[in-house]
Amino acid sequence: MKSKYPEVQGGGSLLLAWQVRNKHILVIGGGEVAAGRILNVLNADAKVTVICPSEGLNDEVAHRVSSSQITHIPRPFLPSDLNNDVDMVLCAVDDPIASTQVYKLCKEKRIPANIADVPPECDFYFGSVHRDGPLQIMISTNGNGPKLANIVRRQIAGGLPENIGDAVRKVGLLRRKLRKVAPEQGESPKRMGWMSKVCEQWSLEDLCEMKDEDMEALLGYYKPGTVPSLNQLRLGQEPGVFEFDGSFGWYIG
């Protein structure tokens, strides 16, 4: 008999949105790969220290040092560098032996580490990410094909509406306002259900067009659990009434 539950598909990674805001991330190396890693974690508001001789910094990393976006220690890595409250290590040096030593030291200290281009020595992988404001979409091949992940990411991004990032931002603002209207813990299922209705019934264009006054008016429909269209909201109509659509007919909103 076929199980009613999803089949387990082993061999994957647990994809998470890892919050590293104000965490101390140590980057070993200063080349092109390190530059990409640094940008990723700076975008997540982490505090970054780069350990690399000055002559090993590429132009991008050197710019981030000179503009005080990151801290730079101009010398090779030392094991004692892991004693300074490090929350994560990103190693991007072209030295397999040194990279393996870094990974082993991190394992001993239980510090999560990523060793560039060595999947077996990674506690986590960097995927190919599409970013549009608060929206982030990551494609991972579990270390099998980073270039292919980039191709898939571009194809997915090409099919997304141009305004989807703004729509996501507006939904987030509406959610925060709703929590102030109904802050009780017991309201959580109703809040989630009502927000789902808004996302399902409003188009992305409507969500982008929604203004602060529209949000305040929309929140007034939370208690009865109804969701009017944006046009009904601005006309002060109740959901389900007949509404003139500007043509030769009427429709039910």
Side-chain angles (χ1 to χ4, degrees):
M1 181 181 297
K2 186 176 180 179
S3 172
K4 63 179 180 179
Y5 303 110
E7 292 288 334
V8 175
Q9 300 182 44
S13 297
L14 182 62
L15 299 184
L16 301 170
W18 197 338
Q19 297 297 313
V20 295
R21 181 180 294 107
N22 295 323
K23 299 292 185 181
H24 181 200
I25 296 182
L26 183 67
V27 179
I28 303 170
E32 182 179 354
V33 174
R37 300 288 195 257
I38 290 167
L39 179 59
N40 281 329
V41 293
L42 285 178
N43 283 339
D45 300 323
K47 296 179 179 178
V48 181
T49 297
V50 173
I51 296 181
C52 178
S54 296
E55 61 271 19
L57 300 181
N58 77 353
D59 290 343
E60 180 177 346
V61 179
H63 162 72
R64 302 203 186 281
V65 171
S66 63
S67 58
S68 301
Q69 296 178 27
I70 60 179
T71 299
H72 177 218
I73 300 176
R75 59 164 172 76
F77 168 79
L78 298 174
S80 58
D81 291 324
L82 298 181
N83 297 331
N84 298 321
D85 299 322
V86 175
D87 296 299
M88 178 187 293
V89 170
L90 309 177
C91 184
V93 296
D94 191 18
D95 186 336
I97 296 176
S99 295
T100 296
Q101 180 189 19
V102 169
Y103 181 67
K104 289 180 178 179
L105 289 169
C106 289
K107 293 295 284 185
E108 290 175 5
K109 294 182 176 294
R110 297 187 178 182
I111 300 173
N114 174 277
I115 310 301
D117 205 31
V118 189
E121 296 182 351
C122 291
D123 295 311
F124 56 92
Y125 304 123
F126 283 87
S128 183
V129 177
H130 171 71
R131 177 79 182 271
D132 184 352
L135 177 67
Q136 292 179 267
I137 301 173
M138 189 186 88
I139 305 299
S140 173
T141 61
N142 286 300
N144 287 284
K147 181 61 179 179
L148 183 59
N150 190 38
I151 293 171
V152 173
R153 188 261 305 165
R154 290 201 304 268
Q155 290 183 350
I156 291 175
L160 296 173
E162 292 183 3
N163 57 357
I164 192 168
D166 195 36
V168 172
R169 185 182 65 80
K170 293 288 184 68
V171 168
L173 181 56
L174 180 62
R175 285 187 65 199
R176 291 191 290 274
K177 288 178 176 289
L178 178 58
R179 283 186 174 274
K180 294 181 179 179
V181 171
E184 296 82 6
Q185 186 173 354
E187 287 283 308
S188 179
K190 184 179 178 181
R191 285 198 307 264
M192 293 174 62
W194 188 78
M195 283 300 308
S196 294
K197 286 183 182 180
V198 173
C199 293
E200 291 166 359
Q201 296 180 27
W202 283 36
S203 67
L204 290 174
E205 289 73 21
D206 287 341
L207 292 170
C208 289
E209 189 181 339
M210 180 170 53
K211 300 177 181 178
D212 285 344
E213 53 266 32
D214 296 323
M215 291 187 191
E216 296 300 331
L218 181 57
L219 290 169
Y221 291 84
Y222 168 73
K223 191 172 182 179
T226 56
V227 177
S229 68
L230 180 59
N231 197 36
Q232 289 172 332
L233 188 70
R234 291 177 174 176
L235 292 173
Q237 295 177 338
E238 292 297 322
V241 302
F242 286 95
E243 181 181 335
F244 183 57
D245 68 359
S247 62
F248 292 101
W250 297 78
Y251 77 96
I252 298 178

